[in-house]
Amino acid sequence: MRSLSLEEARRLAVRCQLLDGVVDFPVGKEGVGRAIEHLGYVQIDTISVVARAHHQTLRARRKDYDVQMLHELLAEDRRIFEYWGHAASYLPMTDYRFYLPKMHRAPWSKYEREWLAANTDLVRQVYERIRKEGPLASKDFKRPDGEKGGIWWNWKPAKMALEILFSQGELTVTERRSFQRVYDLTERVLPASVDLKEPSVAEVNRFLVLRALGAHGVATPSEIRWHIKGPSTAEIAIAIEALVEEGTIVPVSIEGQNAQELYAHPEALEEAVGLPKPDGCSFLCPFDNLIIQRERIEWLFDFDYTLECYVPAQKRVHGYFVFPILFGDRLVGRLDPKADRRAKRLIVKRLTFEPWFGEIDDLLPSLATELARMARFDGCESVEFETIKPTGHKRALKTLVRRALADEG
């Protein structure tokens, strides 16, 4: 069994997540496309206190990222597609065939199956309208007279039909307009080069194991399973056993983690030995691939994190939509930002450093640069601070941020 120190495992994770600034992808849209293909998915989310999560995930890894790049990769280049990965996600088009079994099992819930059985004609009508008229969004379908809206199980019937057809792979998101999905027939969206040969269960699970380890470096079976949701614990265990037997992946031990069952690519373990400490810092949105599995970052980074936007305001500790701060190979603090787009100002509602972190002065220049980048990305011209803990750093940070904003231009 190969062994790594905890520090080596952290640095390998940061490297595999493209957060150490070392991976030599091309600038521009090509580099963004390669980043998505390497990560395996980028999760989509609707919360927009600052730029939405998928944009933040890519911005953290590609310094020249622009939202138009993602739109073009989806709507024009057809290099990525939308479907259910870890959750609603942008996925590499090269992986499309491995999602076919999931599509062919849809709908997945009892409620959806019963609804589909009772509304077969409506689903056919929705499909036929798109076939005849071309791409449509849910707003293009009027709600039946007298029916009220509500939470998701009370969506208007056409919206439910669209979602089921999307889950089944009959419809695909051809683009997003003002963040709204626009659907078209899948056959009119997929490039002719896409492999549509349906893989076996074993092939899918093998693919998922290798995808997860490529993105994380070292991972437990549970972390592998939840990287892209789908297979059962037993199915992942079978795939891992087969890959270990053929030598494609190997068991790993990490200091202080003797109870953990861990695996990695042999090549990744070789790379992990002697990895230097990364430079700079990154703000990781709550749905970022590095931190989305909370138990993983607790054992790997000793970082206890909860997304508190779902917690009543009076019970929040760190803020509404908190970004963990990655500095080198450690998670050293938490940032709760809000973009006041009308006033063109980024408000740092709360900035908290971990109690053990004693290199705040060393971090401040990189932190200021990232705050300026986040502000400009959201169309803001200034950064304002409310609470910083521990205290005593606000004046220095404000000065550094003003300089960084001037440099950002």
Side-chain angles (χ1 to χ4, degrees), residues 274-288:
L275 271 179
K277 182 178 179 179
D279 295 326
C281 79
S282 300
F283 302 152
L284 307 179
C285 79
F287 303 103
D288 189 277

Side-chain angles (χ1 to χ4, degrees), residues 98-131:
F98 294 103
Y99 292 88
L100 290 172
K102 182 185 283 190
M103 294 175 184
H104 295 164
R105 292 194 303 269
W108 307 300
S109 73
K110 179 182 177 182
Y111 171 78
E112 289 175 321
R113 289 193 295 271
E114 291 176 348
W115 188 93
L116 178 58
N119 294 274
T120 302
D121 288 344
L122 172 63
V123 173
R124 180 182 54 79
Q125 291 166 14
V126 168
Y127 180 89
E128 282 299 309
R129 185 174 166 198
I130 292 176
R131 185 181 68 81

Side-chain angles (χ1 to χ4, degrees), residues 6 41 92 147 172 183-184 189 199 207 227 235-236 261 264 274 280-281 293 311 347 374 382 393 396:
L6 191 58
Y41 78 90
E147 184 170 331
T172 297
Y183 301 89
D184 198 0
V189 174
F207 158 77
H227 176 68
E235 288 173 328
I236 285 296
E261 182 184 351
C281 79
Q293 298 197 50
V311 175
I347 303 169
M374 176 179 273
S382 65
H393 302 281

Side-chain angles (χ1 to χ4, degrees), residues 44 74-75 78 80-83 90 93 136 163 166 171-177 180-186 189:
I44 303 168
L74 175 73
R78 305 302 191 196
I80 59 176
F81 69 103
E82 277 197 40
Y83 197 62
Y90 292 111
M93 189 64 80
L136 297 172
E163 291 298 311
F166 170 72
L171 298 180
T172 297
V173 177
T174 185
E175 65 173 318
R176 282 193 178 242
R177 297 174 189 159
Q180 298 300 307
R181 285 172 170 171
V182 180
Y183 301 89
D184 198 0
L185 303 191
T186 298
V189 174

Side-chain angles (χ1 to χ4, degrees), residues 198-243:
E198 185 161 347
S200 67
V201 171
E203 287 177 305
V204 171
N205 294 336
R206 175 189 178 92
F207 158 77
L208 292 174
V209 172
L210 297 178
R211 259 277 176 237
L213 291 179
H216 291 301
V218 177
T220 69
S222 176
E223 292 161 2
I224 291 169
R225 181 189 174 205
W226 289 108
H227 176 68
I228 295 174
K229 297 177 183 178
S232 67
T233 300
E235 288 173 328
I236 285 296
I238 292 170
I240 289 173
E241 182 179 2
L243 287 163

Side-chain angles (χ1 to χ4, degrees), residues 131-150:
R131 185 181 68 81
K132 293 176 182 177
E133 298 181 28
L136 297 172
S138 62
K139 66 182 179 62
D140 297 313
F141 295 83
K142 292 183 178 180
R143 188 185 308 280
D145 292 341
E147 184 170 331
K148 298 180 180 179

Side-chain angles (χ1 to χ4, degrees), residues 22-38:
V22 172
V23 176
D24 188 23
F25 288 164
V27 298
K29 184 173 61 174
E30 175 64 24
V32 174
R34 291 196 195 182
I36 297 171
E37 288 163 354
H38 175 85

